[in-house]
């Protein structure tokens, strides 16, 4: 076999049409072997002799796409110094663009002698039990694909799991269900488009695997937050094959979604890897250069764990930072994705110990000409000390706003919230984002997501029901701000069912009426249930797959209506915060927003923090939108009254007298169909309207 020197850049395996260049970083290695794997189980080992700045590289003519490979790293084995080189372990390429197979959890996958001593090296060959890296074909016909680049104020996010969304879709053929190809199916894309979704936020699609504990319990890492390959699409979601076909299948899905005007956002996990804690397997980074990739504790036998997954990547390592940035650029340029949602993003800011918004990672993102231009969304917390960082990410970033979730849940649960808290959440959380120059669009608003109850379960269960997870019902959030509406779980009580349906409409309506950017969780639009399981991370089953209704669903029609109402009226998706006063140049002298008691009297500022409210009216002035349009023109919209009754009793509301003479009811969550459109009743200023318990009324006044 011919072996040429090759190049140190780019890292990974790069096919050029006649052969493949291989490059891998390791400061710890004495020697590195490239292992070309054959289908009969044998391998051809090639020593990589060239090295530049600890990057070992070679070029092998004739190696083409579909070739499986791995590395063996020769170097010191010294757990007391945090070094775990072991040439008996076949290692994944950290830059692998595709991965074939899955580990079978044979003891040889561990660098140490399992059950005997973690300090004694295990010299059993792991290759027969290990997954393999794959050389991929980088060429793909993107045609006229263009990124939609939907502006945040026009964005509606839809969080979904590749398999969970498509596994039970009746119009998707069985051989495609649960795959990237299923995402591209016209029925799936049609549903998203009709719903009004502009951005599909996919739960992790980086290569991951189920850890040994879950496998031993007969469960799987369903959600995918156990990444081992930051460049490779997860092979279990590929219907075409796992020798590089998963790359082509993913690209085809992105192209199809873009043709429908739908962006693709990836939920990415750059905070830890699937190798876990100090007793975990040796699959990739640990065996290549443990101390360069992971944050080690003062005692280097152990890891600093701010993720709850056993380890954390070392964010002050230039090689880790390079890998993350290379990965982000790869997915943005080669895979054409439109943005990223960063799981446990506070860990990415831990350059040393504390969370630092000025860390190197944010500096790199800020100046990168590719990554800085896509959507960047933080899950702004981790499990380490000081990890809750909502509002503290740099101005380029948007954030999942847990404060919004909690306040809206508290409101409709009937607990009552202060006017100040509700005002802040409904208007884009200025208290969180305005001080550093950000705008309402920094707030990604959500009521439910993958982590926690579905919308149906939020109104059907007081307690979690996670026995199927194997942890004695101790896993998952114990404080859910949920309310079962009078009966735990399944019921045939018509009053309870009617209240639950009303509550789901209330949550959907509130989400779409709030300033910021809304996020829906897959299946919530037609009341998907997990039967009270609020931590279905290990449930790759009917429990967590979306069960598609055969003949539509009333909540689906209502959700479509609310998304359309938001889309059609810029007063619900402002790009600047409210002023709380009249706007210069407006057609009237009214404030851009006002808050009223049910009696029709304006609320005073001193009441905002001193009382708890369950019922109030919000006036949104469509004549007082301060931001200009794309060409500098004034934006004028209809005005709206939003009447909230989150109490357990009917409440009589008086329409404000001086804020519009004639109004029309366009949405009433007390009605089973919810939306009334032009058929709704009319009302006048000063008129009295009675809202039943737990209901929301939206009235519209056309622009004068």
């Amino acid at each position: 076999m011919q072996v040429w020197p090759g190049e140190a850049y780019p890292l990974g395996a790069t096919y050029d049409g006649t052969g493949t260049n291989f490059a891998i970083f390791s400061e710890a290695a004495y020697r590195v072997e490239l292992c070309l794997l054959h289908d009969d189980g044998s391998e051809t080992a090639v020593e990589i002799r060239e090295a530049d700045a600890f990057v070992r590289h070679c070029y092998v003519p004739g190696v083409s796409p579909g070739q499986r490979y791995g590395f063996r790293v020769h170097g010191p084995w010294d757990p007391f110094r945090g070094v775990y080189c072991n040439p008996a372990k076949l290692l994944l390429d950290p830059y692998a663009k595709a991965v074939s197979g899955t580990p079978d959890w044979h003891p040889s996958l561990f660098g140490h002698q399992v059950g005997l001593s973690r300090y004694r090296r295990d010299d059993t060959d792991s290759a027969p039990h290990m997954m393999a890296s794959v050389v991929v074909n980088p060429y793909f016909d993107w045609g006229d694909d263009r990124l939609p680049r939907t502006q945040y104020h026009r964005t509606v996010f839809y969080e979904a799991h590749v398999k969970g969304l498509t596994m039970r879709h009746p119009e998707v053929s069985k051989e495609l269900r649960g795959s990237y190809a299923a995402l591209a199916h016209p029925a799936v894309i049609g549903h998203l488009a009709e719903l009004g979704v502009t951005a599909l936020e996919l739960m992790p699609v980086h290569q991951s695997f189920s850890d040994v504990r879950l496998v031993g319990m007969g469960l799987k890492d369903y959600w995918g937050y156990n990444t081992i390959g930051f460049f490779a699409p997860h092979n279990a979601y590929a219907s075409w094959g796992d020798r590089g076909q998963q790359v082509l299948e993913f690209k085809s899905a992105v192209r199809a979604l873009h043709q429908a005007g739908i962006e693709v956002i990836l939920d990415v996990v750059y905070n830890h890897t699937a190798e876990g804690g100090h007793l975990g397997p040796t699959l990739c980074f640990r065996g290549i250069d443990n101390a360069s990739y992971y944050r080690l504790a003062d005692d280097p036998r152990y890891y600093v764990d701010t993720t709850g997954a056993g380890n954390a990547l070392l964010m002050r390592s230039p090689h880790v930072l390079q890998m993350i940035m290379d990965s982000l650029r790869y997915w943005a340029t080669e895979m054409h994705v439109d943005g990223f949602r960063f799981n446990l993003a506070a860990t990415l800011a831990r350059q040393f110990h504390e969370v630092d918004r000025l860390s190197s990672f944010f500096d790199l993102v800020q100046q990168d000409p590719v990554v800085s231009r896509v959507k960047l969304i933080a899950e702004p917390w981790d499990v380490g000390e000081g990890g809750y960082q909502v509002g503290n990410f740099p101005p380029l970033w948007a954030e999942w706003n847990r404060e919004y979730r909690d306040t809206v849940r508290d409101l409709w649960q009937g607990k009552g919230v202060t006017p100040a808290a509700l005002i802040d959440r409904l208007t884009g959380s200025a208290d969180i984002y305005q001080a550093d120059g950000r705008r309402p669009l920094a707030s990604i608003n959500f009521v439910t997501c993958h982590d926690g109850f579905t919308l149906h379960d939020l109104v059907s269960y007081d307690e979690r029901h996670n026995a199927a997870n194997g942890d004695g019902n101790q896993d998952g959030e114990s404080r859910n701000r949920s309310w079962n509406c009078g009966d735990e779980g399944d019921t045939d009580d018509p009053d309870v069912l009617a209240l639950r349906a009303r509550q789901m409409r209330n949550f959907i309506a509130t989400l779409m009426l709030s300033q910021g950017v809304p996020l829906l969780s897959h299946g919530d639009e037609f009341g998907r249930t997990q039967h009270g399981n609020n931590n279905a991370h290990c449930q790759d089953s009917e429990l967590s797959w979306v069960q598609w209704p055969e003949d539509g669903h009333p909540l689906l029609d209502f959700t479509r209506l609310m998304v359309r109402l938001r889309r059609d009226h810029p007063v619900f998706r402002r790009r600047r915060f409210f002023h709380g006063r009249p706007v210069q140049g407006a057609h009237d002298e009214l404030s851009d927003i006002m808050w009223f008691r049910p009696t029709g009297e304006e609320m005073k500022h001193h009441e905002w923090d001193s009382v708890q409210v369950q019922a109030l009216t919000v006036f949104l002035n469509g004549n007082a939108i301060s931001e200009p349009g794309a060409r500098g023109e004034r934006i004028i919209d209809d005005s709206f009254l939003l009447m909230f009754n989150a109490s357990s009793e009917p409440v009589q509301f008086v329409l404000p007298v001086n804020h519009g003479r004639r109004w029309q009811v366009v949405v009433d969550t007390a009605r089973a169909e919810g939306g009334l459109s032009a058929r709704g009743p009319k009302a006048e200023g000063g008129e009295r309207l009675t809202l039943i318990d737990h209901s929301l009324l939206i009235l519209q006044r056309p622009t004068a």
Side-chain angles (χ1 to χ4, degrees):
M1 176 181 292
Q2 288 187 327
V3 181
W4 301 347
E7 301 290 340
Y9 185 85
L11 291 166
T14 306
Y15 175 68
D16 64 5
T18 60
T20 302
N21 189 84
F22 296 91
I24 180 174
F25 160 80
S26 177
E27 192 171 347
Y30 301 151
R31 185 162 65 95
V32 175
E33 292 177 294
L34 166 67
C35 300
L36 301 179
L37 308 175
H38 310 301
D39 289 343
D40 63 1
S42 65
E43 68 180 58
T44 299
V46 177
E47 182 175 354
I48 304 177
R49 298 184 180 276
E50 296 294 325
D52 293 297
F54 302 110
V55 174
R56 299 178 186 249
H57 52 89
C58 68
Y59 181 94
V60 185
V63 170
S64 58
Q67 174 67 58
R68 296 181 303 127
Y69 71 98
F71 295 105
R72 297 185 186 273
V73 174
H74 299 255
W77 168 272
D78 189 349
F80 291 92
R81 293 195 298 116
V83 184
Y84 296 98
C85 296
N86 185 344
K89 309 308 168 186
L90 184 74
L91 303 176
L92 285 177
D93 180 356
Y95 277 69
K97 305 299 192 303
V99 172
S100 176
T102 188
D104 65 5
W105 287 115
H106 187 270
S108 64
L109 294 173
F110 295 79
H112 61 277
Q113 296 182 0
V114 177
L116 296 177
S117 171
R118 62 159 296 208
Y119 304 113
R120 296 176 61 183
R121 198 176 79 174
D122 179 273
D123 291 328
T124 308
D125 184 12
S126 67
H129 309 281
M130 179 61 179
M131 48 191 161
S133 307
V134 179
V135 177
V136 306
N137 185 348
Y139 306 109
F140 180 78
D141 183 7
W142 282 103
D144 59 354
D145 182 68
R146 296 180 63 186
L147 275 60
R149 296 198 182 281
T150 307
Q151 294 175 298
Y152 268 117
H153 70 285
R154 298 184 181 275
T155 296
V156 175
F157 287 107
Y158 185 88
E159 185 196 32
H161 187 282
V162 171
K163 186 173 184 178
L165 179 65
T166 63
M167 194 62 187
R168 284 292 177 262
H169 198 294
E171 297 183 47
V172 177
S173 59
K174 290 185 178 180
E175 62 270 18
L176 293 183
R177 291 179 183 178
S179 70
Y180 302 120
L183 290 179
H185 193 282
V188 175
I189 292 179
H191 171 77
L192 297 175
E194 291 175 13
L195 187 58
V197 169
T198 70
L200 178 62
E201 184 177 303
L202 293 175
M203 292 173 65
V205 298
H206 287 173
Q207 184 66 48
S208 64
F209 65 88
S210 300
D211 64 43
V212 65
R213 174 179 172 274
L214 288 178
V215 171
M217 297 167 63
L219 301 170
K220 293 182 179 179
D221 175 50
Y222 170 66
W223 283 353
Y225 292 94
N226 206 37
T227 304
I228 195 63
F230 296 109
F231 295 80
H234 186 54
N235 57 23
Y237 302 150
S239 62
W240 300 353
D242 72 352
R243 298 287 184 94
Q245 296 95 330
Q246 59 263 55
V247 178
L248 302 178
E249 187 173 339
F250 180 87
K251 289 179 177 179
S252 297
V254 172
R255 183 177 59 190
L257 287 158
H258 282 178
Q259 288 172 350
I262 298 173
E263 295 182 306
V264 178
I265 311 296
L266 300 189
D267 193 341
V268 290
V269 188
Y270 292 115
N271 52 76
H272 73 276
T273 80
E275 289 185 303
H278 62 280
L279 297 178
T282 298
L283 308 174
C284 183
F285 310 95
R286 193 194 312 273
I288 294 172
D289 195 332
N290 187 61
S292 289
Y293 280 108
Y294 293 120
R295 180 185 291 274
L296 303 184
D298 292 338
D299 181 344
R301 292 177 297 171
Y302 304 100
Y303 298 102
V304 173
D305 179 15
T306 58
T307 67
N311 65 52
L313 286 173
L314 182 61
M315 295 307 299
R316 66 175 179 269
S317 165
H319 306 288
V320 170
L321 292 170
Q322 178 188 0
M323 180 182 69
I324 294 174
M325 295 305 299
D326 285 348
S327 171
L328 292 170
R329 279 190 293 268
Y330 174 77
W331 286 94
T333 58
E334 297 296 321
M335 307 295 262
H336 284 210
V337 304
D338 304 272
F340 306 94
R341 180 264 190 188
F342 293 79
N343 174 258
L344 299 182
T347 290
L348 302 178
R350 292 183 185 274
Q351 185 168 339
F352 296 98
H353 172 72
E354 69 283 352
V355 177
D356 182 3
R357 63 180 293 178
L358 300 178
S359 71
S360 297
F361 172 69
F362 295 125
D363 291 342
L364 291 171
V365 169
Q366 184 76 29
Q367 59 80 41
D368 189 274
V370 173
V371 180
S372 63
R373 296 191 63 196
V374 302
K375 286 184 168 69
L376 300 171
I377 304 158
E379 182 186 39
W381 51 80
D382 64 15
V383 300
E385 182 181 354
Y388 187 71
Q389 293 290 321
V390 171
N392 290 332
F393 277 70
L396 190 64
W397 292 67
E399 300 176 9
W400 272 30
N401 189 347
R402 200 163 76 186
E403 298 298 318
Y404 177 90
R405 180 200 68 181
D406 293 350
T407 300
V408 172
R409 286 189 181 190
D410 284 347
L411 171 70
W412 287 114
Q413 189 180 355
K415 284 187 172 181
V417 297
T418 64
L422 186 58
I423 289 168
D424 285 333
R425 302 309 148 240
L426 295 183
T427 60
S429 296
D431 61 321
I432 296 176
Y433 300 112
Q434 191 171 28
D436 62 4
R438 284 190 282 179
R439 294 184 172 181
L441 304 174
S443 177
I444 307 300
N445 300 330
F446 67 103
V447 175
T448 57
C449 64
H450 68 275
D451 189 1
F453 282 140
T454 66
L455 182 61
H456 172 279
D457 293 356
L458 184 67
V459 301
S460 304
Y461 294 89
D462 282 353
E463 306 294 337
R464 63 192 176 194
H465 295 263
N466 297 354
N469 296 352
D471 288 317
N473 202 39
Q474 297 302 304
D475 64 305
E477 179 61 58
S478 60
R479 184 168 179 256
N480 294 282
R481 291 178 159 90
S482 62
W483 177 42
N484 64 21
C485 297
D487 202 351
E488 186 77 357
D490 293 339
T491 183
D492 56 5
D493 186 318
D495 292 333
V496 172
L497 293 173
L499 177 55
R500 289 177 178 177
R502 192 158 72 247
Q503 285 284 74
M504 286 192 283
R505 291 193 291 270
N506 289 335
F507 281 119
I508 293 292
T510 305
L511 181 63
M512 292 303 158
L513 296 171
S514 300
Q515 308 299 323
V517 187
L519 179 140
L520 292 164
S521 181
H522 65 327
D524 276 354
E525 66 270 29
F526 39 72
R528 179 176 77 93
T529 181
Q530 291 178 170
H531 303 290
N533 191 317
N534 73 350
N535 189 32
H537 70 104
C538 56
Q539 298 297 328
D540 186 4
S541 66
E542 300 279 352
L543 180 72
S544 53
W545 301 338
V546 172
Q547 305 298 321
W548 291 79
E550 294 181 2
D551 301 314
H553 194 282
L555 185 60
L556 176 58
D557 295 334
F558 179 76
T559 305
R560 287 172 176 162
L561 167 75
M562 291 307 308
V563 175
R564 187 165 62 249
L565 184 69
R566 178 184 181 85
R567 180 198 66 197
D568 293 345
H569 292 284
V571 75
F572 297 125
R573 43 183 179 83
R574 293 173 55 120
R575 291 176 285 119
R576 295 178 181 172
F577 289 110
F578 288 98
H579 300 284
R581 53 175 170 74
V583 173
Q584 185 177 7
H587 289 180
D588 57 42
E589 297 299 321
L590 299 175
S591 175
D592 55 359
I593 188 170
M594 297 186 73
W595 305 80
F596 298 90
R597 304 187 193 97
T599 59
E601 300 170 291
E602 185 179 355
M603 295 191 69
K604 306 302 181 184
H605 283 276
H606 68 82
E607 299 177 287
W608 288 12
D609 289 308
S610 61
V611 297
Q612 298 278 317
V613 296
Q614 294 180 316
L616 77 166
T617 297
V618 183
F619 168 70
L620 300 178
N621 189 352
N623 283 319
I625 299 175
S626 59
E627 61 263 26
R631 298 185 177 182
E633 74 277 12
R634 280 206 62 218
I635 298 176
I636 300 175
D637 194 11
D638 296 343
S639 296
F640 288 85
L641 287 175
L642 317 179
M643 295 182 170
F644 295 83
N645 179 18
S647 70
S648 59
E649 301 293 336
V651 174
Q652 188 177 79
F653 283 74
V654 177
L655 273 66
V657 175
N658 298 320
H659 292 72
R661 193 161 63 90
R662 294 192 175 180
W663 297 86
Q664 181 173 358
V665 178
V666 292
V667 174
D668 182 0
T669 64
R671 297 172 61 99
E673 67 274 22
L676 303 173
S677 189
R679 297 179 288 107
K682 293 180 172 53
E684 296 190 0
E687 188 171 334
R688 299 174 183 273
L689 300 176
T690 299
L691 273 66
I692 69 169
D693 64 286
H694 303 100
S695 67
L696 169 61
L697 202 65
I698 306 174
L699 298 94
Q700 181 177 1
R701 187 196 73 193
T703 302

